Amino acid sequence: MSILDITVVSVALNTFVKEFDATTAQVAWTMTGYTLALASVIPLTGWAADRFGTKRLYLLAIVLFTLGSALCAVAGSLEQLIIFRVIQGLGGGMLMPLGMTILTRAAGADRVGRVMAVLGIPMLLGPICGPILGGWLIDSASWHWIFLINVPIGVIALVYAFKALPADHVEPSETFDWLGMVLLSPGLAAFLYGVSMVPETGTVWDAEVLAPAAIGLLLVIAFVPWALNGRNKHPLVDLTLFKNRQMTVAVIAMSLFALAFFGASLLFPMYFQVAHGETPLKSGILLAPQGVGAMLTMPLAGFLADKIGPGKVVIPGIALIALGMGMFATLDSDTGYAFLLTALFIQGLGMGATMMPIMSAALATLKEHQIARGSTLMNIIQQVAASAGTALFSVLITNAFADRASTALATAGEDESKVAEVLRKFGINPEAIPDVMAKFPDDVAWAFQGAFVVATILVVAVLIPALLLPRKKMVADADRPPVMVH
C-alpha cells in the first residue's frame, strides 16, 4: 500500500486541480505533505521499536495509514486532503522500516538474499503499477477510490498482523534522544521541503528552495556531532553503524542507485505522455516490460547473492541498467515502441539483479540490537536520495524542454512568454503542456535525450562502490540477523 500510494496520487494531481479549483503548486502539497510526514517519522521509528516493540508499532502504523486513507477519501477541501495525507504519511513512514525489520529477523542471514528477492518484486513494481492503478480508478470510478482501495486491505493487514506476528517481549532501557529529535526530524523535513520545491521554481537558486534546504541541512549537520558524542548513549539515529565498512560501501551504492533509478522513473511515463500523446493509464501499461524483466532476474539474483556473494551479481546488473538507459539516451522523434520497450525490458533485467543484492551486502552484517536502528538509518538515506533524484530530473527535463521550446516557439512566431510559463510547470503536471508542442517533436525528443544521458552516467557511477561489494558467500551468523529497507 505504502509503495503504491506514492505514485498513485501523482496521477491524480490534474484531477485535484479541477476538483478543488486550485493551482498545480497548491495540489502538489498532497504529495509534499506525505513526503515530509514520512521523513519526519522515520528517525523516531528505531527508538520506538526498541521501546514499545515492533509488533505494537507496526499495528499502529497500519492504523494510521488506513485511517489517513479513509479520511483522504472523504476530504471536502484541498486543505483537509493535505492534512489527511500527513496522517497517512506518518503511518507509511513507519511501515517500511518496521515491516522489513520483522521479516528479515525471521528469515536469518543465510536466506537474506532470497527473501529480499521475493520482497523486492512489489518494491520495483510499485512505481510501475501505481500509474496504471491510479489511471484506471480515476477513469472508471473517481479520485476517491485511489484512497478507498487502501481501507479493506489495511483492515485485513491489521487483523492478520495481530494474529500472525509473535508477541513483543521488550525491556525498555533506552532514554529518548529529545535533542536529536529536535535537530534531525525538522532538519530532514525542511531539507526535503526545499528539494521538493525545485520542480516548482525550476532552479535550485530560488529563495523558496535555498532557505528551507539550508536550514534543514544545518540542523542535520548539527545532529552529527551530537549523535557521535560519547555521552549520548542512545542517539536517535546510530551513526556508528558507518564504522562497518561493508555497510558503508553498500549504502553509498544504494544512494547512487536510488538517485538514478527513482529520479529516472519520473521520465518514462512523462516521455510517453508528452512525446507520444499517451494517457496516464496507457503510459503506465507501457512500462510493464520493466517489471517483467525484474521479476525474471530477481529470484535468481537473490539465490546467487547468497551463494556467490552480491558483488558478482550487482556488477552485471548495473551494466544491463546502463545499457537500457543508454538506449533511451539515443532516442529521437522517430524512435519506435519496439526499441523503447526492449530498452525497458533490459533495464528491468538489470534492476532485478541490482537493488536487493546491494542491500544484502550491508544488511546481513547488523547484530540483533542494531536491526531497528540500521533500518531507520538506511530508510532515511534512501528517502533523501530518492527525493533528490526526483528533483534533479524534474529540473533537468523542465529547463531543457523550456529552452528548446522557447527557441522553437519564437521561430514559429508563437507567444513565447505565455507558453514558457506553462512549460515551467512541466515537471509537476505533464498534461499542462499545450498542444502547440506537438509541432516540435525533435525538440521534445532532444530534451528527454539529455536527461537520459545524465541518468546513464549516474547508473554507471554505481559501479565504483559496487566493485567493493563482497564477492564471496556471506556466512550466516546467528548473532547477526539481517535487516532490510524499502
Side-chain angles (χ1 to χ4, degrees), residues 80-423:
Q80 289 181 4
L81 181 59
I82 293 170
I83 292 171
F84 298 151
R85 282 284 284 166
V86 170
I87 296 174
Q88 203 182 23
L90 293 174
M94 291 189 290
L95 278 175
M96 297 176 188
L98 282 173
M100 299 313 171
T101 297
I102 293 169
L103 286 165
T104 51
R105 272 178 172 169
D110 58 331
R111 293 181 295 175
V112 61
R114 278 163 284 184
V115 169
M116 284 196 288
V118 175
L119 296 174
I121 292 175
M123 292 168 64
L124 287 177
L125 290 182
I128 298 170
C129 295
I132 299 174
L133 179 63
W136 176 71
L137 287 172
I138 292 171
D139 290 344
S140 60
S142 69
W143 67 266
H144 305 82
W145 281 95
I146 65 176
F147 299 111
L148 280 175
I149 196 172
N150 289 330
V151 176
I153 300 174
V155 171
I156 293 170
L158 184 66
V159 173
Y160 182 74
F162 179 78
K163 291 185 176 182
L165 295 180
D168 290 315
H169 298 287
V170 294
E171 297 179 3
S173 60
E174 295 189 4
T175 56
F176 184 65
D177 183 9
W178 289 102
L179 180 57
M181 184 193 71
V182 170
L183 292 173
L184 190 57
S185 287
L188 284 171
F191 178 76
L192 289 181
Y193 170 75
V195 170
S196 70
M197 292 306 296
V198 172
E200 171 67 16
T201 62
T203 175
V204 297
W205 304 115
D206 191 278
E208 201 167 358
V209 174
L210 287 177
I215 292 172
L217 191 60
L218 288 173
L219 289 173
V220 172
I221 291 173
F223 172 78
V224 174
W226 168 248
L228 297 176
N229 188 333
R231 291 175 296 175
N232 185 7
K233 300 299 182 183
H234 306 293
L236 191 65
V237 173
D238 188 2
L239 299 184
T240 61
L241 292 174
F242 283 117
K243 293 179 180 179
N244 183 324
R245 177 183 176 277
Q246 185 170 311
M247 180 176 179
T248 301
V249 170
V251 165
I252 294 171
M254 180 53 65
S255 299
L256 288 172
F257 178 80
L259 184 74
F261 170 65
F262 291 108
S265 293
L266 171 82
L267 300 177
F268 298 118
M270 194 180 291
Y271 171 75
F272 285 122
Q273 291 177 46
V274 176
H276 294 274
E278 303 291 0
T279 63
L281 175 58
K282 190 171 181 181
S283 65
I285 295 173
L286 287 168
L287 295 176
Q290 194 176 65
V292 172
M295 286 191 292
L296 289 176
T297 56
M298 191 170 282
L300 178 61
F303 175 80
L304 291 176
D306 286 338
K307 294 297 182 182
I308 63 176
K312 293 179 180 178
V313 179
V314 170
I315 292 174
I318 295 172
L320 285 171
I321 298 175
L323 173 60
M325 197 76 73
M327 291 172 68
F328 267 90
T330 65
L331 59 81
D332 56 35
S333 58
D334 297 322
T335 302
Y337 276 2
F339 181 87
L340 298 173
L341 298 184
T342 300
L344 286 170
F345 178 71
I346 292 173
Q347 279 189 76
L349 292 174
M351 285 189 291
T354 301
M355 185 166 72
M356 310 315 287
I358 288 178
M359 291 183 180
S360 300
L363 307 176
T365 66
L366 299 181
K367 297 181 180 180
E368 175 68 29
H369 68 280
Q370 298 174 318
I371 291 179
R373 298 305 177 99
S375 178
T376 296
L377 176 61
M378 295 195 72
N379 271 275
I380 291 172
I381 292 170
Q382 186 175 357
Q383 180 66 40
V384 171
S387 298
T390 301
L392 169 65
F393 285 98
S394 294
V395 171
L396 284 175
I397 192 64
T398 303
N399 290 346
F401 197 78
D403 289 344
R404 296 292 290 188
S406 297
T407 302
L409 290 168
T411 303
E414 300 285 349
D415 185 350
E416 181 180 345
S417 60
K418 179 180 179 180
V419 179
E421 175 62 22
V422 178
L423 295 177

